[in-house]
Amino acid sequence: MKLGSYKKGEQMYKEELSLNFVSIKLVKEETLAINRPKVLGSPKDVYKALKGIYEGADREKLIVMSLDSKNNVNSINLCHVGTVNSSVIHIREILKPVILSNGVSFIVAHNHPSGDTDPSKEDLAVTKRLKQAADIFGIRFLDHLIIGDDSFLSLNDKGYMR
């Protein structure tokens, strides 16, 4: 692709730019057998489906569940593994698997290895920013679950997502 030319002294210089054309694919890495209903109808259904992934976890794990228009799970993505008490992640990394799997809506879940399901200030801030970003893309952000020791908290049910 020629962008143009210009003169410098007596010599003619031409600039060329090479562009890479790419394709983006969603690759199925593995199939995970989980106990879940065909359709996720409540935060408790999500908790039951994911609690096995979090059993014995010594670090925070953030999972993104992408759903179709009937709340069937399109994909589950382990989006990030943090430390024992934090998980720093960018909003685009959470939305990427939802967009790539043609998700109409999504649910985010992460664990607190301490077992305490009370949301931190960071949990609430990320939830707010994620909701704003999802709204821009026209994707419904249904819930953010915090998984603890044999318990969970739904930020949507507690009114934090309004």
Side-chain angles (χ1 to χ4, degrees):
M1 173 187 287
K2 293 185 180 181
L3 289 181
S5 60
Y6 58 92
K7 285 188 175 185
K8 185 175 181 181
E10 296 293 320
Q11 297 177 324
M12 180 71 81
Y13 292 90
K14 292 187 179 187
E15 292 182 35
E16 291 189 11
L17 177 65
S18 297
L19 296 176
N20 296 322
F21 283 87
V22 299
S23 64
I24 299 173
K25 298 177 184 177
L26 185 66
V27 178
K28 182 169 83 170
E29 293 180 355
E30 65 181 292
T31 300
L32 178 64
I34 59 174
N35 294 323
R36 69 167 174 88
K38 178 73 174 154
V39 176
L40 297 173
S42 70
K44 189 172 185 176
D45 291 340
V46 176
Y47 170 69
K48 286 180 180 179
L50 296 179
K51 71 179 182 178
I53 295 171
Y54 292 110
E55 286 177 0
D58 62 346
R59 294 176 287 165
E60 286 195 10
K61 294 180 180 180
L62 186 127
I63 290 178
V64 179
M65 296 181 80
S66 175
L67 307 168
D68 68 13
S69 59
K70 295 182 180 179
N71 285 349
N72 294 308
V73 178
N74 280 350
S75 67
I76 297 175
N77 178 260
L78 175 58
C79 198
H80 186 73
V81 177
T83 66
V84 70
N85 63 354
S86 70
S87 183
V88 179
I89 187 160
H90 197 281
I91 298 301
R92 70 176 168 256
E93 299 304 317
I94 296 171
L95 290 177
K96 187 188 320 183
V98 179
I99 293 167
L100 288 175
S101 65
N102 294 319
V104 172
S105 59
F106 68 101
I107 297 167
V108 171
H110 82 281
N111 64 315
H112 284 172
S114 68
D116 180 11
T117 58
D118 289 335
S120 67
K121 289 179 185 177
E122 292 80 12
D123 292 337
L124 298 176
V126 165
T127 300
K128 182 179 178 180
R129 287 192 357 254
L130 187 53
K131 181 156 178 34
Q132 291 168 342
D135 286 346
I136 290 169
F137 281 99
I139 302 169
R140 291 178 311 170
F141 180 22
L142 300 178
D143 209 342
H144 181 167
L145 269 62
I146 300 174
I147 312 292
D149 289 338
D150 297 319
S151 64
F152 72 96
L153 176 97
S154 162
L155 293 181
N156 189 37
D157 283 357
K158 293 295 181 184
Y160 290 113
M161 295 183 60
R162 294 188 180 104

